[in-house]
Amino acid sequence: MIPRSRAPFYLAVMLLILAGLSLAVIRHVQMGVPWLPGKQQPVWLVEARIDFDAWNEPVSVNLNIPDQPPGFYTLTEQAASPGYGFAITEHQGDRRAEWTIRNANGPQTLYFKTRLIPDSYAQDAPLEPGTIEPSDVFLEEPEATAAKALLQQAEALSSNPASLARELIKLLTSQTPDQNTRLLLSQASLPVTLVELLNSAGIPARIADGLKLEDARRQQTLEPWLQVHDGDRWLTFNPRTGAQGVPDDVLLWRQTQGPLLDLVGGSGSRVHFSMLRQTLPALQILRSEAKDRSFGSFSLYQLPVEQQSMFRMLLLLPLGALVVCLMRILVGIKTSGTFMPVLIAVAFVQTSLLPGLAAFISVVTLGLMMRGYLSSLNLLLVSRISALIILVLFITVGISIVGYQMGFSTGMTVTFFPMVILAWTIERMSILWEEEGAHEVLIQGAGSLLVAILAYLVMRSPLAEHLSFNFPELHLVVLGIILLLGQYTGYKLTELRRFAPMKGYQ
């Protein structure tokens, strides 16, 4: 039974851990941050090629380009058009790539490239405020009578715009079409006929152009898709099968009423598409799109690179602190100072393990020798520590110079050791030597190095570096675990050996 006074504490810790895990899951879902380092993300490179003949006069080319296509997130857009001016314009949701040149003659080729990543959270069409009016349709007889008959037949089996669209597709794609269906399809294509019928029924409908994505395909053309407005958003249908929704391998290139391509100053225009499937590190993609994603304002990738590097190191400290708590509270290893091993581990991260160990042992050994001489001078504590800091600085400089002359470039990074911490460590070990003897100094010094090495191994693991920087809210979980460890009052592992003889008396 948990004591009543501790119940709020355990509740607060559980809420802390739950908050950290929940925020991490939200970051993963909203921003697509991978749980594991090294994850690769598929990327589609789609290229539109425009060919035409110029008339030896000013040329203007306008190509409709994707605008928030369902199921995809646009990563980059660029044009390859030597000699042409280029700009991307947008008017009432109609995004267009525009090329212009003062004078051009003969065959011309322009390229537009876009890189897109599949985005499973962008499948639903966005809500559109306001009222969407159906387009005016004028049908002459006998097409008007045939259209009216088909609509009456489909409306009897439907209850909303989506079901009406499906029923019309069934009627127009039937294996045994009636005379009304044959008459309408003889005058226009299947998608155009569907759009005319739905607009005649007072339901806004339009044709969207989709591109089927297949790796390493060239000279592809767009296929028509049907879009119907249900009062809130545009719904997409396959006019050939009646299936609702956009398949994962289809990119809706155009979703507006305007033409795909406008050309002024030339003729014989043709548009073909090529595509290539690539893979990129998921974190590289995340850095480029973080500011555009929800929850992206709370990403460390928004900070300058210099500050990112600083936080990448600082966010490893809680993991080192957790290792120290585990080793001191549960295992019972003695260390020189409470969290000095964490600072030593940070220095190891910057210098690498073996050079860091060599530098630490060398500095502390020489420092203890000099501390013995300072002790014989009977200096005050403040003066002794200040003098020791200066001596430690000279020692590290000397080690760096000697290491450089011997060809060890890692010796130059010894200066990353915190001078004040080293000085206090030497002072503490010297006092311990005088009070407890050399044996206790060796035990605590070895314990400090052991815990520092374990903390270094944890902090340098790719998973720890990835999670600590990309999911900083997980440190709330670390905090909760440390608080729980603070309530532990049982035996330490090192104490089990001391109490082992008591088993014979039980």
Side-chain angles (χ1 to χ4, degrees), residues 8 11 43 69 78 84 88 103 106 199 211 226 228 232 255 264-265 289 320 328 340 370 374 409 411 464 479 487 503:
L11 177 61
V43 178
Q78 63 182 23
Y84 281 79
I88 294 179
N103 185 273
N199 280 287
L211 181 66
L226 175 66
V228 179
D232 294 322
Q255 301 183 79
V264 177
E289 64 175 352
R328 286 180 63 94
M340 191 199 70
M370 293 182 177
L374 291 176
S409 59
L479 175 59
Q487 296 290 318
K503 292 182 179 180

Side-chain angles (χ1 to χ4, degrees), residues 168-186:
L168 285 174
I169 292 173
K170 290 180 182 179
L171 291 174
L172 293 175
T173 58
S174 173
Q175 296 294 330
T176 56
D178 57 18
Q179 60 180 0
N180 293 325
T181 301
R182 290 195 297 269
L183 174 61
L184 293 176
L185 292 178
S186 66

Side-chain angles (χ1 to χ4, degrees), residues 494-506:
T494 53
E495 293 175 337
L496 296 180
R497 180 180 178 184
R498 184 174 59 173
F499 291 105
M502 297 179 63
K503 292 182 179 180
Y505 297 100
Q506 295 179 357

Side-chain angles (χ1 to χ4, degrees), residues 66-147:
D67 180 24
Q68 298 180 354
F72 292 91
Y73 176 84
T74 302
L75 196 60
T76 60
E77 293 177 328
Q78 63 182 23
S81 49
Y84 281 79
F86 177 77
I88 294 179
T89 62
E90 184 172 359
H91 179 66
Q92 295 181 350
D94 184 15
R95 296 183 74 243
R96 306 191 73 84
E98 181 179 352
W99 292 266
T100 55
I101 193 172
R102 176 66 63 180
N103 185 273
N105 187 33
Q108 305 288 309
T109 301
L110 304 176
Y111 294 93
F112 177 80
K113 298 180 181 179
T114 180
R115 297 167 76 188
L116 306 109
I117 58 175
D119 188 355
S120 58
Y121 301 103
Q123 291 290 348
D124 294 334
L127 295 174
E128 295 192 7
T131 302
I132 305 297
E133 299 293 339
S135 302
D136 296 329
V137 178
F138 301 98
L139 296 176
E140 298 181 354
E141 295 295 346
E143 288 83 3
T145 302

